[in-house]
Amino acid sequence: MPKQDTDTIRALQGLEDSRSSARLRAALAVGTTPDPRFIDKLIERCAIEPEFYVREMLTWALTRHSASITVPELLDEVRSERAQARSQALHTLSKIGDRQAWPAITRALLSDADDEVARSAWRAAVVLVPEGEEPELAAVLSTQLGRGERETQLSLSRALIALGEVIVPTLRAAMTDLDPRVRAHAIATERLLRDPDAGFEFAIEEAKRVVALGTTSQEG
C-alpha cells in the first residue's frame, strides 16, 4: 500500500481515537496535508466531537480544503437534526466566509431553540450578509434581544455591533419593548456600540438601572 494511503488511513483512524490528544493530532495532520477524502469524516466528526479545542481543529482542517467541496456539504449539515452538527457547520461556514452560503442562514437558524446553534448562526450571518442587507439582518437579530444568559446576550450584542450604525434604529425601537429584558439588552448593546471599552457587564447593569428608572435616555 502506498505510504500516502497508509497515512490517510492512520489519520482517519486517529479522528476516532478515544484520546482527545490523538484526535487533535489527527485533525492537525489532516489540515496540514488536505485531501478531499478527509472531508466527509471531518464533517461527521464535527457533529459528535465532545472537546471544544478538537472541534476548533476540525474546523481549521475543513477550511484548508477547497470551499467548492466543503461548502455544499456544510450546507447540508446546517439542516441536521443534531444541534451540534448545525452549530459546528455554521461556525465553519463563518470561518470559510464564502457568501454563497448566505441563503442557508435562515430566520429559523437565527432563532434556533438551541443557544449554541443560534450563536453560531449570528456569527455566520454577520460575516456572510451581502452588502445592503445589513438593516434587514439587524431587524431579524433584534427579535432575539433579551434571550438567554449573559454569554448568549453578549454574542448577540457583538453580532449586532459588527453590523455598524445600521443597527441604531432597530435598537431604539427595541428600547420601547414591553419586556424589560429586551429593553435592557437593547440599551446595553447601543452603549457598547458607542463605547466598546465599557464592557458588557457594566453596560448591562447600567441598562438595567435605566430600565428600572423608566427612562432610555443616555444619561440614565
Side-chain angles (χ1 to χ4, degrees):
M1 183 179 293
K3 181 179 185 300
Q4 186 177 10
D5 289 342
T6 305
D7 290 344
T8 299
I9 291 170
R10 185 180 295 117
L12 290 172
Q13 290 174 337
L15 290 173
E16 295 184 341
D17 197 287
S18 61
R19 298 162 298 169
S20 59
S21 58
R23 299 197 301 276
L24 185 70
R25 287 195 301 273
L28 175 61
V30 169
T32 302
T33 55
D35 184 324
R37 290 177 294 179
F38 291 131
I39 292 173
D40 285 346
K41 176 58 72 174
L42 289 171
I43 291 176
E44 176 188 312
R45 189 68 213 174
C46 279
I48 59 174
E49 173 56 51
E51 298 291 343
F52 170 78
Y53 59 93
V54 179
R55 292 199 300 272
E56 286 294 288
M57 190 64 78
L58 292 167
T59 282
W60 172 78
L62 282 165
T63 67
R64 298 270 296 156
H65 291 77
S66 170
S68 64
I69 304 173
T70 56
V71 169
E73 295 205 31
L74 290 167
L75 293 179
D76 285 339
E77 281 293 283
V78 302
R79 294 187 287 272
S80 170
E81 291 185 4
R82 184 187 288 268
Q84 184 173 305
R86 299 197 300 277
S87 175
Q88 203 63 26
L90 287 162
H91 175 60
T92 306
L93 287 168
S94 74
K95 296 297 184 184
I96 294 172
D98 187 332
R99 286 189 167 177
Q100 291 184 69
W102 169 247
I105 312 300
T106 61
R107 182 182 287 263
L109 283 172
L110 293 169
S111 58
D112 196 284
D114 185 281
D115 283 347
E116 285 302 316
V117 176
R119 291 172 64 194
S120 294
W122 301 338
R123 289 191 294 265
V126 298
V127 170
L128 301 173
V129 61
E131 188 174 351
E133 293 191 32
E134 294 90 349
E136 185 178 347
L137 174 58
V140 176
L141 291 179
S142 71
T143 66
Q144 303 301 297
L145 286 166
R147 170 179 175 164
E149 302 302 321
R150 293 291 169 87
E151 193 174 3
T152 299
Q153 292 192 6
L154 177 56
S155 289
L156 182 61
S157 291
R158 284 174 172 162
L160 283 163
I161 289 166
L163 296 175
E165 291 291 326
V166 299
I167 69 172
V168 173
T170 302
L171 291 178
R172 292 285 167 84
M175 288 176 193
T176 64
D177 195 274
L178 293 175
D179 187 338
R181 283 173 58 88
V182 173
R183 296 201 301 273
H185 195 180
I187 294 166
T189 302
E190 188 185 39
R191 290 193 171 181
L192 280 178
L193 175 67
R194 302 296 177 214
D195 182 11
D197 296 327
F200 187 70
E201 287 295 327
F202 173 78
I204 199 73
E205 290 305 323
E206 279 293 289
K208 282 182 177 180
R209 183 175 67 85
V210 169
V211 169
L213 291 172
T215 174
T216 57
S217 70
Q218 289 298 304
E219 294 76 24

